[in-house]
Amino acid sequence: MCDPISVAGVALAVPAIVSNLVTYYSDAKNARSDIQQYVTDLFSFNGTLDYIESVRTIQSADDIYKYESADFALLVKASAEILQNLQLALDTKRSSSSLDQFVQRVTWNHKKKEVQGYFERLEQLKAAFVTIMMGDSLNYNQAILEELSHLRIDVSRDRAARDSIASRKERDALVNWLAPVGPESTHLTAYKAHHSDTGGWFRNGALKTLIDCPENNSAVLWLEGKSGSGKSTLLASAIEHLRAYESVTGTTALAYFYCSFSVLESQDPLNILSSLLVQLSETITPLFQELRAKYLPMAQEGRGRSIDLEVLVDIFRRYTNSRGFVFVAVDAINESEIPDKVNQMLLTLAETCENIRMIVTSTSGVDHAWLNNRNVRVLRYSMSAKAIDEDIRIYVDDYIARHVTLSSLSQSLKNEIKEAILNRANGVLTELNEAVVVDDDDDNLEDDARFQKPDILLRLGQGLFEYQTETGLVSLSHSPIKTFVTSRRIKSTKVAWFWINESDAHQAILITCLTYLQFNRWGWEATRSTSSYSKIASKYPLMSYAAQCWPFHIRDDGHGSWSRISAFLATKENPGGGNYGFWLKYMAGGLHAEIIQKSPSLYYAASFGYASLVTAIIAHEKDIDLEQRGGRYGSTALQVAAFRRQREVVKLLVEAGANPFSLDLGLGGGISSFFWAKENAWPDVLELMVRCGAANGFQPNKRAMRDIYRDSARRIQTVAMEQDTHGKISREVKSAPAGDHERVPPL
């Protein structure tokens, strides 16, 4: 006969659940009507159980079979388990904290769906109990038995799911306490930067060699490379490759970690090893069980971490030696305040675990302690320029192929773009290194004044900024850094020294660029042949940026920096055009000193499209003549800007009062900027020209251009727009009428 305590025990569980519902959730928003219905259902279910318990003692001999059967016992057991799960779902742990009680109430909507499911099953059980009481035999209602079978499966699944959740919560508590720094987010960032098909030289070379090492001793692959050369991205790619290898073999294990100057905790050997262990415990169950037994109580009690590194090393050794290969990857081991200790910890793992296969990246070479250890095989590889160039070439080819505009360029122009990027990428951080050491009063820069190590700024910055190999750009590591240093709030704090005004920052860059362009050497170079200019950038790496970008840093119409700008522009009166002439020759090439000196500064500023420089010149040069001609063919600043499709500059000059209808001295008796605006399909600019021209008393030129010259003008402009990045005209205009190709204005 079924133990009557079982039925009574199930019935006794009901009042506790009712109390929990009423006490903790009756004040929850939109919950009162639900709770009222649930309480009614619970009392109804409880009444059924009470009735069964009461009739069990007076049942007739004919009815005994109803309550002695195994199926009835299963109904009672299922009821007990569902009520137990319902209690857990409602979290009956009492708390005197008003905050805890409030949290319980506001989380009702999240629990409602789960609770509703339990009540639906209780209703099914109640129907089964009623059927048993009223029926002649359990066997007569097969549907009830099938439903009971489904209920048992559902209850088992509920229990398994709740056990899994509880286990995951325990694991999370252990991991957060034992290994406070995880590699997942850093790995995701690094791997996102990886471009498909790149890094094959490493995976198919160095990494394959590591995997194929003999099993009788441990092996370490040491990857050396400059900061910003892409080691982290390459390592992330290798980790994903090893992850796939692990899933195929089923006998290996993988753990990895990323050290970083910007995350202090990531530099601690204890945190590194703890993270490696918790990752390995995902696949090595006995390892997790030992970590759980040893450290979970401390984690649950919220005690401070008191962990012996040697104990963790011993745990690592015992559980990894029983596996196949254990792959461990650690990035940037030199990015630590205590790199020697990190180095020693990894060496200890390598020499005590003969089945370990380790990948280490660093900006420095292999430590002698590794090389002198006979138990560890060391494979040394470096991020060679040849290998990196191949990856960059793959990336650039793919980018050009997917870019709507670039994909339509000629193959020769695509090759020029590719080579320009490769040449820039080889000078990792050299531009920034150069800029930092330039003082405002320098007239030259000697080698002993430069940084000798290209990664010195990254090391000094300790994570404040980073270098992206794929783009060639240096940027702040996180956007909040800029928000912080440019916030006026810090001006009144102890860190006021770090405050940066964005306009002041642009002016500082502008002064640095102009100082660089005014080195004494360039005044002398201006008198020489342009053939030597191509060699200058290799020795003076800031030259390309300074020459091309200095006008972009002009702010507030040049107020505060005009004295330095005007001093630079005035050097054109010196022999060869001085430093100003050197700048133009470096940018455009093929310009003669006499042309440079007779052309107004406004002319070349407009031709290059430097709107901020045009604005500054107009604002500061007294009695400026906007109609003064320059270049070889007597064009005004407005005419050359319209020809070069410098739309913003054209609008500035028109609004400043330049004549849009005057003719240059070139093709077919002259072309106006109004003609070029029409050819460029600028309806708004045409309207502006007509309106401003009428206001200034300028009249359109009535002379019609002959079609042959109109077509030639279009072809000339098309060829001019195909110039290389320095504006050099290197292609003949073979489609123009005889003699016309010689009249293409250089700028």
Side-chain angles (χ1 to χ4, degrees):
M1 185 174 182
C2 181
D3 185 355
I5 298 178
S6 298
V7 178
V10 172
L12 288 174
V14 172
I17 298 175
V18 171
S19 176
N20 195 14
L21 278 168
V22 174
T23 303
Y24 291 98
Y25 295 97
S26 59
D27 290 336
K29 185 177 181 181
N30 300 325
R32 293 191 178 185
S33 59
D34 296 327
I35 292 171
Q36 184 178 3
Q37 181 61 50
Y38 293 149
V39 170
T40 301
D41 292 343
L42 282 170
F43 281 132
S44 175
F45 183 76
N46 197 47
T48 303
L49 295 177
D50 288 341
Y51 178 80
I52 291 175
E53 184 64 19
S54 66
V55 301
R56 282 167 62 90
T57 57
I58 60 172
Q59 60 189 344
S60 65
D62 295 334
D63 292 332
I64 287 178
Y65 71 87
K66 296 181 182 179
Y67 307 111
E68 285 186 334
S69 68
D71 291 315
F72 180 80
L74 286 176
L75 279 176
V76 175
K77 183 179 179 181
S79 300
E81 289 181 341
I82 288 178
L83 289 173
Q84 182 183 16
N85 286 339
L86 186 56
Q87 283 180 312
L88 291 173
L90 294 171
D91 189 12
T92 58
K93 182 180 178 181
R94 294 181 178 272
S95 172
S96 59
S97 168
S98 58
L99 177 60
D100 290 342
Q101 294 176 5
F102 172 75
V103 171
Q104 287 176 315
R105 289 167 181 164
V106 298
T107 56
W108 168 251
N109 286 333
H110 298 287
K111 292 181 179 292
K112 180 179 176 180
K113 184 176 181 180
E114 181 183 6
V115 170
Q116 179 67 29
Y118 290 131
F119 273 98
E120 289 174 356
R121 292 171 190 173
L122 284 177
E123 281 297 305
Q124 293 172 328
L125 286 169
K126 186 175 73 172
F129 281 127
V130 171
T131 302
I132 290 172
M133 290 186 297
M134 298 180 65
D136 293 330
S137 170
L138 282 176
N139 295 327
Y140 100 98
N141 196 336
Q142 186 63 31
I144 290 294
L145 296 178
E146 292 178 358
E147 185 64 31
L148 176 59
S149 176
H150 290 308
L151 281 169
R152 288 183 355 229
I153 295 173
D154 288 341
V155 169
S156 297
R157 287 176 177 172
D158 287 342
R159 187 189 307 114
R162 193 166 295 282
D163 289 344
S164 176
I165 293 172
S167 175
R168 176 51 61 181
K169 286 182 178 179
E170 282 188 352
R171 181 175 182 83
D172 290 345
L174 177 62
V175 169
N176 293 335
W177 184 86
L178 184 61
V181 183
E184 293 80 8
S185 61
T186 305
H187 175 70
L188 181 61
T189 301
Y191 190 63
K192 279 184 176 179
H194 173 254
H195 185 77
S196 59
D197 299 329
T198 62
W201 62 271
F202 181 74
R203 293 189 300 275
N204 301 326
L207 187 59
K208 187 176 186 301
T209 302
L210 178 71
I211 295 174
D212 295 340
C213 276
E215 299 182 6
N216 57 356
N217 68 322
S218 61
V220 175
L221 194 166
W222 191 288
L223 180 63
E224 179 186 355
K226 297 182 290 186
S227 290
S229 59
K231 297 187 301 299
S232 298
T233 299
L234 190 63
L235 182 67
S237 170
I239 290 170
E240 291 303 313
H241 183 80
L242 290 173
R243 203 192 299 275
Y245 179 80
E246 177 188 22
S247 65
V248 171
T249 62
T251 59
T252 61
L254 169 67
Y256 57 93
F257 195 83
Y258 292 82
C259 302
S260 174
F261 269 129
S262 61
V263 182
L264 185 63
E265 293 82 359
S266 72
Q267 306 169 22
D268 188 341
L270 189 63
N271 289 339
I272 296 172
L273 184 52
S274 297
S275 178
L276 297 177
L277 281 171
V278 298
Q279 291 176 67
L280 293 174
S281 70
E282 289 275 4
T283 54
I284 306 176
T285 303
L287 171 58
F288 175 72
Q289 290 172 343
E290 177 162 341
L291 294 176
R292 181 180 182 276
K294 187 181 292 289
Y295 298 115
L296 182 59
M298 302 183 201
Q300 291 176 328
E301 294 170 9
R303 291 160 57 181
R305 291 173 78 222
S306 178
I307 308 173
D308 191 334
L309 183 62
E310 293 182 0
V311 172
L312 293 186
V313 170
D314 180 65
I315 294 174
F316 187 96
R317 177 188 58 78
R318 285 190 285 111
Y319 287 102
T320 55
N321 278 336
S322 62
R323 299 282 296 184
F325 285 157
V326 175
F327 291 98
V328 171
V330 182
D331 182 47
I333 66 169
N334 59 301
E335 292 200 17
S336 170
E337 296 293 337
I338 46 175
D340 293 342
K341 292 185 178 181
V342 174
N343 197 56
Q344 182 57 49
M345 183 270 292
L346 294 175
L347 178 58
T348 301
L349 295 182
E351 64 186 1
T352 57
C353 307
E354 65 179 22
N355 61 332
I356 197 171
R357 297 294 180 266
M358 189 178 295
I359 309 174
V360 172
T361 73
S362 175
T363 58
S364 57
V366 184
D367 190 272
H368 289 296
W370 292 85
L371 299 176
N372 297 332
N373 195 306
R374 296 182 179 180
N375 297 322
V376 182
R377 181 182 180 184
V378 179
L379 310 171
R380 290 183 286 180
Y381 286 82
S382 62
M383 298 281 288
S384 66
K386 182 179 180 181
I388 297 174
D389 281 356
E390 182 59 30
D391 282 348
I392 295 175
R393 189 173 284 108
I394 292 172
Y395 174 81
V396 173
D397 282 341
D398 184 62
Y399 184 86
I400 291 176
R402 290 184 291 105
H403 195 280
V404 176
T405 303
L406 297 179
S407 60
S408 63
L409 298 176
S410 65
Q411 189 58 48
S412 60
L413 199 52
K414 291 178 182 177
N415 292 336
E416 287 183 32
I417 294 172
K418 188 189 308 180
E419 292 307 314
I421 293 174
L422 287 170
N423 292 336
R424 181 179 177 87
N426 286 334
V428 178
L429 288 178
T430 52
E431 289 181 357
L432 188 57
N433 285 339
E434 191 88 341
V436 168
V437 298
V438 174
D439 290 329
D440 292 354
D441 56 355
D442 283 348
D443 55 19
N444 199 5
L445 192 62
E446 302 296 339
D447 287 341
D448 58 3
R450 294 182 166 102
F451 291 133
Q452 300 305 309
K453 294 183 178 180
D455 66 330
I456 187 66
L457 287 180
L458 287 177
R459 294 173 62 86
L460 292 175
Q462 298 191 19
L464 281 177
F465 51 90
E466 58 187 16
Y467 178 79
Q468 295 291 339
T469 308
E470 295 81 6
T471 62
L473 298 177
V474 176
S475 61
L476 294 173
S477 300
H478 306 284
S479 57
I481 296 175
K482 179 180 178 181
T483 303
F484 175 78
V485 297
T486 58
S487 173
R488 294 185 178 274
R489 294 180 180 179
I490 71 170
K491 291 183 69 176
S492 58
T493 67
K494 294 180 180 179
V495 293
W497 186 84
F498 291 98
W499 180 71
I500 296 175
N501 179 288
E502 195 163 346
S503 295
D504 292 344
H506 278 291
Q507 181 164 325
I509 298 173
L510 170 63
I511 298 304
T512 296
C513 291
L514 289 177
T515 300
Y516 206 77
L517 291 171
Q518 287 186 274
F519 283 171
N520 291 338
R521 177 179 175 179
W522 311 139
W524 172 71
E525 287 283 355
T527 64
R528 292 171 51 111
S529 168
T530 59
S531 60
S532 62
Y533 289 2
S534 60
K535 303 177 183 178
I536 291 173
S538 61
K539 188 173 181 181
Y540 290 85
L542 187 60
M543 179 56 71
S544 291
Y545 183 88
Q548 297 178 46
C549 300
W550 71 268
F552 295 137
H553 295 288
I554 299 173
R555 292 294 184 275
D556 302 325
D557 297 343
H559 293 295
S561 56
W562 178 248
S563 60
R564 292 297 298 264
I565 297 173
S566 60
F568 173 65
L569 300 179
T571 61
K572 75 174 183 178
E573 302 301 331
N574 297 337
N579 294 74
Y580 172 80
F582 167 81
W583 169 57
L584 291 180
K585 292 175 184 178
Y586 185 88
M587 289 284 288
L591 296 179
H592 297 292
E594 58 272 19
I595 299 296
I596 292 173
Q597 290 176 320
K598 78 173 186 178
S599 301
S601 301
L602 184 65
Y603 175 87
Y604 287 110
S607 181
F608 285 124
Y610 291 135
S612 56
L613 181 56
V614 168
T615 300
I617 292 173
I618 293 174
H620 292 280
E621 285 195 4
K622 296 181 179 179
D623 303 322
I624 186 171
D625 182 5
L626 298 178
E627 303 308 313
Q628 185 178 356
R629 299 178 180 275
R632 285 183 293 176
Y633 300 102
S635 300
T636 66
L638 178 58
Q639 289 162 0
V640 74
F643 172 76
R644 292 287 178 188
R645 296 176 183 168
Q646 309 291 5
R647 185 190 189 109
E648 185 180 358
V649 171
V650 167
K651 295 174 72 173
L652 283 173
L653 290 169
V654 171
E655 290 172 346
N659 187 351
F661 307 119
S662 62
L663 305 177
D664 64 19
L665 305 180
L667 187 67
I671 304 175
S672 70
S673 53
F674 186 83
F675 166 83
W676 288 122
K678 186 176 181 180
E679 291 296 310
N680 296 339
W682 294 343
D684 58 324
V685 176
L686 289 172
E687 182 181 348
L688 181 67
M689 286 179 169
V690 171
R691 179 162 39 84
C692 292
N696 291 304
F698 300 131
Q699 297 296 324
N701 191 294
K702 300 296 184 181
R703 184 182 60 80
M705 177 175 286
R706 289 157 47 196
D707 288 341
I708 184 174
Y709 292 121
R710 183 184 299 273
D711 293 340
S712 296
R714 290 170 180 164
R715 288 196 293 270
I716 290 170
Q717 187 189 45
T718 300
V719 172
M721 293 300 102
E722 292 179 354
Q723 295 175 103
D724 63 19
T725 55
H726 284 281
K728 299 173 183 176
I729 292 182
S730 56
R731 304 168 181 83
E732 289 186 341
V733 191
K734 298 184 181 298
S735 60
D740 283 348
H741 67 273
E742 299 177 352
R743 306 195 63 176
V744 178
L747 281 173

